[in-house]
Amino acid sequence: MFDKMSERGFQGDVFTYGILISGLCKVRETGFALKLYRKMAERNCEGDLVIYSRIIDSLRKDRLVDEGVNMLFEMVSKGITPDVVVYSSLVNGLCSIGKLKEAVTFFEEMVGRGIAADLVMYNTLINGFYQVGMWKEAARIFNWMVREGISPDDITFTALMDCLCKEGKVGKAHEIFALMRQKGKEPTLFTYNSLMGGLCKAGQLDEAAKLFGLIADQSWKIEEAFQLFQEMHFQGCKPSAVTYNTLIAALCQAGRVRTAKKMFDEMHVCGQSPIISTYVVMLDGLQKWPC
């Protein structure tokens, strides 16, 4: 269509090219978008920040990150200053292909230009280091964002905790978990699973039981408590009588007495003897909700 318009003498301006290039990038036709961009340049029509941003992000989605970097250099050479959107695309793309050193370089370049990073960019970097087990770098970025006044979300906390647990730094992970709750961020099931796995592997069974109690005490999270209980088994962390008691009490409180009874019977199979409070909660549950 554009070729037909050109044949009829229509030259187009940056606004028209921008619409067409954005449309092509949206449907993942990055190659055609680049061809159109080159035609645009041949006609002495310079691209603007929006056009470069669209193309760079499209290249990132196609995992052509090096080409995206070249586009950044090109736009800078023409006096166009990249914004946080452009840098975010490149940092995201570089992290996705494991080029973390380059990602940090562009991040620091962006900050040096006085452009403030947002939560998404910090999370991207932390997750990139988390994927390769570089917990010290992940922690450095975490501390950086806190200094800059950016409040971490549950994704930030969980990624850092999981990275620390996998590196055997369970104590530090527990500190991050405490900070997460202090900041009013709601831990997800993955958060609990990560810390539970770390505690079990470190042989900190009492701490694992306490963690389980935190979620089991919230009756509306009973399904999450069940999954966390299964995670304890998976990690080779044998649930104690207190752990069973906590789950049985939560089940009875939620009216799920049949399931509580099954857990009560399972205790004996697993070699755990019910404690007095276990009998009390079971009897109370059976009285309120007879099977």
Side-chain angles (χ1 to χ4, degrees):
M1 182 183 288
F2 184 80
D3 289 336
K4 290 181 179 179
M5 292 168 66
S6 299
E7 288 170 6
R8 295 177 182 177
F10 178 77
Q11 294 299 314
D13 55 16
V14 68
F15 180 73
T16 307
Y17 279 107
I19 292 174
L20 292 170
I21 288 172
S22 293
L24 288 168
C25 289
K26 191 173 182 179
V27 296
R28 303 290 292 274
E29 292 287 355
T30 312
F32 285 115
L34 280 168
K35 286 181 181 179
L36 189 56
Y37 166 76
R38 297 306 175 196
K39 280 189 177 182
M40 175 183 171
E42 289 171 5
R43 295 176 181 179
N44 297 316
C45 185
E46 294 292 341
D48 60 8
L49 176 61
V50 174
I51 289 175
Y52 278 106
S53 178
R54 295 286 188 275
I55 294 175
I56 288 171
D57 192 54
S58 193
L59 287 167
R60 188 266 306 176
K61 290 175 181 175
D62 289 344
R63 298 182 69 80
L64 300 171
V65 186
D66 289 337
E67 287 82 346
V69 170
N70 291 334
M71 288 294 289
L72 173 72
F73 292 149
E74 182 178 317
M75 69 184 288
V76 171
S77 71
K78 293 183 178 181
I80 302 171
T81 303
D83 63 1
V84 67
V85 176
V86 172
Y87 279 111
S88 290
S89 292
L90 286 178
V91 168
N92 188 309
L94 289 165
C95 285
S96 70
I97 60 174
K99 292 189 174 183
L100 297 169
K101 184 178 180 179
E102 292 89 336
V104 173
T105 297
F106 280 111
F107 172 78
E108 292 175 343
E109 177 186 304
M110 182 192 77
V111 173
R113 288 178 179 272
I115 302 171
D118 57 12
L119 175 63
V120 174
M121 182 175 282
Y122 281 112
N123 277 351
T124 299
L125 280 171
I126 289 172
N127 187 62
F129 287 116
Y130 151 66
Q131 294 293 339
V132 294
M134 297 176 66
W135 71 268
K136 287 184 179 179
E137 283 301 315
R140 185 174 77 87
I141 300 299
F142 178 86
N143 292 330
W144 190 336
M145 73 180 289
V146 172
R147 285 197 306 270
E148 292 298 316
I150 303 295
S151 180
D153 61 5
D154 62 296
I155 296 172
T156 322
F157 282 114
T158 302
L160 183 56
M161 283 172 50
D162 196 52
C163 186
L164 288 166
C165 285
K166 286 178 178 176
E167 292 299 310
K169 308 294 181 181
V170 183
K172 289 184 179 293
H174 215 291
E175 290 175 11
I176 296 298
F177 179 74
L179 179 62
M180 180 181 188
R181 298 185 71 212
Q182 180 186 326
K183 294 289 185 181
K185 303 299 180 183
E186 186 68 27
T188 64
L189 179 61
F190 185 67
T191 311
Y192 283 108
N193 278 346
S194 296
L195 189 52
M196 178 65 75
L199 290 168
C200 289
K201 286 178 180 177
Q204 298 183 29
L205 306 187
D206 289 341
E207 288 300 319
K210 288 178 185 178
L211 181 66
F212 179 78
L214 284 176
I215 191 170
D217 285 343
Q218 304 173 65
S219 59
W220 56 278
K221 283 190 171 182
I222 193 65
E223 290 303 326
E224 285 89 340
F226 251 126
Q227 291 185 49
L228 196 60
F229 185 81
Q230 292 169 349
E231 178 68 15
M232 292 179 73
H233 278 289
F234 179 75
Q235 294 291 345
C237 187
K238 186 179 179 181
S240 65
V242 174
T243 305
Y244 274 106
N245 185 66
T246 303
L247 183 55
I248 288 169
L251 288 164
C252 288
Q253 187 178 352
R256 298 175 60 175
V257 182
R258 288 181 182 276
T259 309
K261 179 65 168 58
K262 288 180 181 179
M263 298 301 299
F264 181 81
D265 294 337
E266 183 185 303
M267 286 185 72
H268 296 279
V269 177
C270 293
Q272 294 290 351
S273 300
I275 55 181
I276 294 176
S277 58
T278 315
Y279 288 106
V280 172
V281 294
M282 274 304 308
L283 289 170
D284 185 60
L286 288 167
Q287 185 179 11
K288 291 179 180 177
W289 294 280
C291 293

